[in-house]
Structures are given as structure tokens and as C-alpha cells.
Amino acid sequence: MRTVRPSKQAGIALVLVLWVLVLLAAMAVSVAYSQRLELAMAANFKEEREARALVEAGIEFMVLQVLSQWGQPEPEDWRADGMVRPWSFGGRTIGVAAAPETARIDINMAMPEQFDALFKSVGLEDAEAQRLRDVILDWRDGDDQHLLHGAEDPEYRRAGLPYGAKDGNFETVEELRQLLDMTPEIYSRIAPALTVYSARRTVNPFYAPPQVLAALPGMTDAELHAYLQLRTYNMQHNLPVPFPNGVNPIYLEQGQIPIYRIYAETALSGGGKVRGEAVVNIGPSGQTRYQVLERGYAPLGAPAGGSVETDRER
């Protein structure tokens, strides 16, 4: 019988030892990577919790400012004009802002031509704009007769949807997602201009963001640019702000209601921001309590100016 020489046996043993070492090293790398990943996830979670706490503090701070300034003719600081201002708390800087909810378009009250102007302002063609306008109107009206381009229960059934037109008011802006032909892309374009809380057909142009102003019937790009400049200048110099030219006054108002949208945001160490918002009803003048109508947070790392749509609470 042929025997294996000792030198060959030693070589085989060495190869086996090397393979064992390689496997052990791979296992060690895998365990170390998993541990680092878990630590990073824990750190991100901790940072997100801390950022949300700071955002909550910013929201509560601005609610206090709105409460204290309600009914005052010329508030000095922390005006509810939609402008983000820095506020220091706990050694961190938090951007805070507030704006009256009348600065948005109420989808339960808006007139058909307001929807036409809104959809046109976000780049929709006439046919698509008319279709979505009528679908919205059919959703909120109380009858089962669909408009020319609209949709009632039969149209939803034909589309394979397990529901029909609501025939009632929208309870949230997010309800628009359920409408026939409402795509996520269109929704993301129009949602920041809308509300269900103002109960007004009109918009307060003094605090409306550019997207809302652009959706006013009769507003042109040139007039929008000129009005934004004029509004900023007049506010900075405590001068009266006029209504924009070219827009019928039936779409505008300067009155106030005690419902405000409060914003807060704080930066993350790795870049990006955590943002939050709340819609609050501060109640009658002189009250110290308020009602939160809606609250939401942006995802961790959301870019500045990103929409606040996740973790929505009502």
C-alpha cells in the first residue's frame, strides 16, 4: 500500500488551517458589520427621536406665539406670516413658522374656476384639468348625477374600485388620493396649496405661498412675481399690503379665523432636516387651550422644503 509522505500531510493540514482562518475572519467581519449597522440604526433612531422632540418644542413655541398675538393689530415678533425664523432651544437651532389656514385653498369650498386655475398652475393640460375638476366636484356634491367629465359610483365600479363617489365633504386633503384619475404625481403637486379647514371660498393673499397665489384665477406669472416683491417689501417696512392686480376680489379676503398651520424644522448631523407641522384651532380670543386638528412629520433626512405627509395623525 502506498503511504502519504509526512511533508504532504503537513501541507494538507496547513491548507485546512488557512481555510478555517479565512472562514473565521469572514465571520468576524460579518459580525462586526452587523454590529456597526445595528449601532448606526440605533444612532439614527436616537437622532430622529431627538429631532422630533425639538420639532415638537418648536411647534409648541409657535402655538404660544399665535395665542399671545391673536387679535393684536401689529404683532412685533414671530408673526404668523409663513416666514421661517430661527429659534434657539436646548443648544440647537430650530426653524419655526406659522400661517393662517386661510392662506390655502379649501377643497370643500373652492369654485370650479379655482380648480381650473390650480391645475393649470401645476402644468396640466386643459382636458386633464377639466376631468379632475369635475371628479372633485362629483366627489363632494350630494347627488349621483355626474358632471360632463366627472365620476360617480358607476365610473368607480368600472375602474375596479371597491367604493364610489363620497357625495360629501373631504375630511382630509389626503382623501384626494382616492379620486378616479388622481395620480400620485398630480397629488404631490397640488396638495401643498390645499386645506379642508378654512371653510372659505376665498384666499388671504397676504400670507398665501407662491403656489396658492399662482392658482388664483387671473393671476399671471408677471403679476405673481411683481406681487411677491411688493408684498415682501411692504411687510418688511410695516406698510399695508394690497390685493394682487388682475385677480377678481371675489376670490380674496383679508379676514382671519383662529386656525393656523404651524411649522418647525431642525437640521440633522448627516445632512437634511426633520420637519413637522400641525394645524391648530386656537379657539376664541383669550383662551389658553387649543385643539390640534392635524399633525405630521417628514421622514428622517427629508430635504428642506419637502412635504410633510408621513406619520399623519388626526
Side-chain angles (χ1 to χ4, degrees):
M1 175 181 292
R2 186 177 180 183
T3 60
V4 179
R5 296 178 181 178
S7 60
K8 191 171 184 180
Q9 290 178 335
I12 293 173
L14 179 60
V15 170
L16 290 174
V17 169
L18 291 174
W19 272 111
V20 170
L21 291 175
V22 169
L23 290 174
L24 289 174
M27 292 174 61
V29 170
S30 177
V31 170
Y33 176 77
S34 297
Q35 290 178 338
R36 287 197 300 270
L37 184 60
E38 290 176 2
L39 288 173
M41 291 175 62
N44 286 342
F45 180 80
K46 180 175 181 292
E47 184 177 18
E48 181 183 10
R49 296 296 101 182
E50 291 176 349
R52 285 198 176 191
L54 290 169
V55 165
E56 277 295 319
I59 289 174
E60 295 295 331
F61 173 77
M62 280 307 296
V63 170
L64 178 61
Q65 302 309 311
V66 170
L67 280 168
S68 65
Q69 295 178 14
W70 172 253
Q72 299 298 319
E74 294 183 0
E76 294 297 327
D77 300 313
W78 310 108
R79 296 182 180 183
D81 56 7
M83 299 296 295
V84 178
R85 296 178 172 88
W87 175 59
S88 296
F89 179 76
R92 298 281 296 273
T93 298
I94 306 167
V96 294
E101 198 65 355
T102 50
R104 293 187 172 209
I105 301 166
D106 193 310
I107 52 177
N108 290 319
M109 301 297 296
M111 293 173 275
E113 59 269 24
Q114 289 175 286
F115 288 118
D116 289 338
L118 172 66
F119 289 125
K120 180 180 179 181
S121 72
V122 297
L124 269 62
E125 298 294 333
D126 288 345
E128 190 174 16
Q130 292 168 8
R131 168 65 170 164
L132 287 174
R133 174 202 64 200
D134 285 0
V135 169
I136 290 175
L137 296 175
D138 274 339
W139 182 271
R140 77 182 194 190
D141 66 26
D143 60 53
D144 58 0
Q145 302 298 315
H146 74 75
L147 298 171
L148 179 61
H149 306 288
E152 291 286 352
D153 293 358
E155 286 72 30
Y156 283 88
R157 285 196 295 268
R158 283 197 292 270
L161 295 171
Y163 55 85
K166 183 179 182 179
D167 297 330
N169 279 347
F170 289 86
E171 296 179 38
T172 65
V173 172
E174 285 85 352
E175 202 173 309
L176 284 167
R177 296 177 184 270
Q178 302 179 49
L179 269 59
L180 202 63
D181 297 334
M182 178 63 71
T183 67
E185 293 76 19
I186 296 174
Y187 173 80
S188 66
R189 290 186 227 165
I190 64 173
L194 302 174
T195 183
V196 295
Y197 299 116
S198 79
R200 297 287 195 276
R201 291 181 180 271
T202 51
V203 167
N204 187 331
F206 304 157
Y207 308 109
Q211 183 177 3
V212 173
L213 292 173
L216 292 174
M219 179 69 77
T220 64
D221 292 341
E223 179 55 38
L224 173 61
H225 180 71
Y227 184 71
L228 288 172
Q229 288 187 320
L230 175 64
R231 187 177 73 175
T232 299
Y233 178 87
N234 284 18
M235 284 186 170
Q236 289 175 344
H237 293 82
N238 293 319
L239 297 174
V241 179
F243 281 168
N245 292 327
V247 177
N248 193 318
I250 66 170
Y251 305 115
L252 306 172
E253 72 157 320
Q254 57 182 343
Q256 295 189 51
I257 61 173
I259 299 179
Y260 289 82
R261 190 168 295 258
I262 313 295
Y263 304 86
E265 62 183 29
T266 188
L268 299 169
S269 60
K273 295 184 179 181
V274 168
R275 299 180 67 244
E277 69 178 26
V279 180
V280 299
N281 185 345
I282 64 173
S285 177
Q287 294 285 333
T288 57
R289 292 181 295 178
Y290 62 92
Q291 178 186 10
V292 177
L293 304 176
E294 189 174 300
R295 185 191 305 269
Y297 295 95
L300 182 66
S307 63
V308 182
E309 295 177 7
T310 61
D311 287 356
R312 182 71 60 183
E313 302 172 6
R314 297 187 70 251

